[in-house]
Amino acid sequence: MLFDDDLSVAQHPLESVFPIYQKVSAVELTNEEKSILDGKQGPARQKAMEIVVALGKIYGAENLIPIVSAQISGVSYKNLGDPGLEFLHEWAKQGGQVSVPTTLNPAGMDLEHWQELGFKDDFAKKQLQVIDCFQQFQIPPICSCTPYLIGNLPKLGDHLAWAESSAIAFANSVLGSRTNREGGPSALAAALLGKTANYGLHLDHARLASYLILVQCPLQNEADFGALGYKVGKLVQNSIPYFRGIHHATLPQLKALGAAMAAVGSVALFHIEGLTPEASMKHTLADHYQTIEIQDLQDGYQKLNSTASDIDMVAIGCPHASWEEIQHIAGLLMGKKVKAKFWITTAAPTYYFAQRAGLAKIIENAGAHIVSDTCMIVAPLQDLGIRSIATNSAKAAYYAPSHCGVQVRYGNLRACVDAALSGRFTDAG
Amino acid sequence: MQGRVIKAGVVKGQALVSSEPMGFLGMVDPDTGIVIEKNHPLSGECIAGKILIFPTGKGSTVGSYTLYRLKKNGKAPLAIINQQSEAIVAVGAIIAEIPMLDQLDITQFKTNDWVKIEQDQVTICHEESL
């Protein structure tokens, strides 16, 4: 039951527990912004302005800044529940439209193929109502946690209001764009206004790393990056880590690293020496920092793994699979048949790509499913009779036991595909 | 006393004061308004119709929607006063249209005090004479 990016407990920068009489900061508003706050542009935009201004006050913003795009969380009915749906319905009814390109986080089901995938009618009905609310705001019904793979691709220095934690980490770190960890309502508010409050990661000084992470072990695949992300997320919590010793990383690997750190800690930005743009352009390590050496990933793997050996479902695509990952899976599944249920979750445009490229056919002939719009965490897995999953996602492995009530095995893509083919997870993946 | 407006409003009611931070998701029953968090100073108390006063928010971000649901169920607090507001409760107060102020010294308030809020002004009285 959560609406912010995913399932994490919110961690906002409350510097100390109860500071009394902190300096009262005023957010300077333009005349137009003031008129929106006074309701002159209707109740929907007024509410949006109230939210953005309140957050600006709380976090000491001096003004509002234009954003180039928004990413809304709190889309799955599983997380929103009826109160969330009611709230969206009421807000949408007040008549507002988004002012910038806006994408949605995963929903609780594949919006097209939910019936054949076994989703219940009641759930589907509510989920479609949620999507309908967003469509009233003129947000297209494409649901993905990887907006940057489907055209919501900001540039270096662009300001954003994104609410999906893994996408926030990717945008801030890999793209060099700037966004705080927005919640569902605040990202939607910013989308309606085309503006957000100027504080936190929008500002240069807040983007310096306070941890130097010396990576002293090899990183061979996305699961290694995820295990590293688990360890570092636990250690640094909501701080910014600066990695030294990662010499090469693919897009899926960077996606996995950021997603794990964002889920386990609440890392919104990381730098990698020689790889990420800000770390390549300027000095991004703070004057005072702590140094952590990572010598192996064993305990990361241990913490993410249960002892289950029989696997009901293999879940790949958290965050949503890129076309290169789908291509890789198609190669491993070619001419074979899976025993366990096998979901590859992705964005609908990526699914379309897989169909056009003939990859979807190979995967479906093997008995696996490419599932759009949703993921294993925000879908009601227990309703689908799933008790154990194997995944190559540290984020999914971290959340699934508590949020989906399933046992998890964590390993690289090959180990997961092997588990799908045999119905059993073996450690020699 | 003067606070900082998070959600503007004019209300008068009796205070319910917590010395500890409050979360809403899973910590307040949205159907009854009763605090169900164990070992919380307000555990078992009903927040409905009170001027709810606590240092700051905590817990899951879905807590904002819990406040909205409390309001829909007629079990929301009349107003919220925090020492230092944070995003979850602030967003919840705005979407649920619950007047809210922060940056006030909450040690000045005692449970059952009568409290009047007019925009950023707060008056305390130990009896209903406001």
Side-chain angles (χ1 to χ4, degrees), chain A residues 21-289:
Chain A
Y21 298 133
Q22 268 202 349
K23 186 174 151 281
V24 176
S25 52
V27 185
E28 191 132 345
L29 299 180
T30 64
N31 286 337
E32 204 215 347
E33 289 160 359
K34 277 182 203 154
S35 78
I36 296 171
L37 193 58
D38 292 339
K40 302 220 169 67
Q41 294 187 18
R45 285 169 71 77
Q46 183 180 25
K47 187 175 292 170
M49 189 57 88
E50 283 182 329
I51 292 173
V52 168
V53 170
L55 295 177
K57 281 184 191 172
I58 293 168
Y59 296 117
E62 289 178 4
N63 58 349
L64 308 187
I65 39 163
I67 54 168
V68 303
S69 77
Q71 163 79 4
I72 312 285
S73 65
V75 176
S76 170
Y77 175 70
K78 178 185 167 189
N79 294 348
L80 281 168
D82 286 327
L85 171 57
E86 266 174 55
F87 164 67
L88 287 172
H89 181 68
E90 192 176 295
W91 201 1
K93 236 175 26 190
Q94 293 175 335
Q97 292 188 0
V98 294
S99 312
V100 291
T102 300
T103 45
L104 295 177
N105 236 19
M109 62 183 196
D110 187 314
L111 297 181
E112 272 182 60
H113 305 103
W114 56 269
Q115 255 163 332
E116 58 203 76
L117 290 164
F119 288 90
K120 291 183 175 163
D121 287 357
D122 296 355
F123 182 87
K125 196 176 143 205
K126 298 278 193 173
Q127 182 62 66
L128 293 170
Q129 285 173 9
V130 172
I131 298 300
D132 183 59
C133 292
F134 286 118
Q135 282 194 267
Q136 290 179 48
F137 289 113
Q138 302 294 314
I139 302 170
I142 302 283
C143 302
S144 178
C145 47
T146 57
Y148 48 88
L149 294 180
I150 56 166
N152 186 351
L153 181 64
K155 310 184 299 298
L156 182 68
D158 280 347
H159 295 280
L160 319 171
W162 283 19
E164 154 55 34
S165 72
S166 69
I168 290 163
F170 193 92
N172 276 320
S173 315
V174 181
L175 304 175
S177 312
R178 296 177 173 220
T179 177
N180 287 315
R181 281 169 60 101
E182 302 278 354
S186 72
L188 182 52
L192 288 170
L193 301 170
K195 289 181 178 179
T196 192
N198 191 12
Y199 68 91
L201 292 175
H202 293 290
L203 305 169
D204 284 338
H205 68 81
R207 298 178 67 85
L208 298 176
S210 55
Y211 283 89
L212 171 63
I213 312 293
L214 301 174
V215 181
Q216 294 167 335
C217 54
L219 300 169
Q220 290 173 338
N221 52 55
E222 75 292 347
D224 284 352
F225 275 83
L228 173 66
Y230 176 89
K231 287 187 67 155
V232 174
K234 273 272 180 239
L235 291 164
V236 310
Q237 290 299 315
N238 62 354
S239 305
I240 301 171
Y242 180 101
F243 290 95
R244 183 172 288 161
I246 300 178
H247 305 295
H248 178 264
T250 64
L251 183 145
Q253 290 167 351
L254 291 168
K255 180 159 74 75
L257 174 65
M261 289 193 293
V264 177
S266 51
V267 172
L269 166 63
F270 58 93
H271 300 294
I272 304 178
E273 194 166 272
L275 276 184
T276 57
E278 282 176 63
S280 309
M281 281 162 50
K282 56 191 176 193
H283 193 69
T284 49
L285 200 51
D287 291 342
H288 300 284
Y289 57 84

Side-chain angles (χ1 to χ4, degrees), chain B residues 1-46:
Chain B
M1 282 195 285
Q2 189 181 11
R4 179 173 71 170
V5 176
I6 300 294
K7 172 72 188 168
V10 178
V11 290
K12 186 177 90 173
Q14 275 189 292
L16 179 62
V17 183
S18 165
S19 54
E20 294 288 317
M22 286 196 70
F24 289 87
L25 179 71
M27 302 186 189
V28 177
D29 182 337
D31 295 323
T32 61
I34 290 172
V35 178
I36 50 178
E37 184 186 358
K38 286 192 184 114
N39 302 319
H40 191 278
L42 298 189
S43 194
E45 300 275 354
C46 179

Side-chain angles (χ1 to χ4, degrees), chain A residues 329-339 361-368 414 417-418 420-422:
Chain A
I329 294 164
L332 294 171
L333 286 179
M334 175 100 79
K336 297 178 179 156
K337 284 277 178 207
V338 295
K339 282 195 180 143
K361 196 156 188 211
I362 295 169
I363 289 168
E364 282 153 14
N365 283 346
R414 184 173 285 275
V417 171
D418 286 347
L421 293 170
S422 66

Side-chain angles (χ1 to χ4, degrees), chain A residues 1-4 10 12 18 20-25 50-51 54-55 57-59 80 83 86-87 90 185, chain B residues 4-5 7 21 25 55-56 59-62 65 68-69 72 83-88 90-91 94-95 103 105:
Chain A
M1 267 281 293
L2 303 124
F3 74 73
D4 143 307
H12 290 283
F18 328 132
I20 306 174
Y21 298 133
Q22 268 202 349
K23 186 174 151 281
V24 176
S25 52
E50 283 182 329
I51 292 173
L55 295 177
K57 281 184 191 172
I58 293 168
Y59 296 117
L80 281 168
E86 266 174 55
F87 164 67
E90 192 176 295
Chain B
R4 179 173 71 170
V5 176
K7 172 72 188 168
L25 179 71
T56 192
S60 164
T61 52
V62 177
Y65 285 147
Y68 180 83
R69 191 163 162 199
K72 289 282 146 187
Q83 203 145 274
Q84 183 65 33
S85 159
E86 53 57 71
I88 304 164
V91 169
I94 292 167
I95 67 176
Q103 295 194 334
D105 179 1

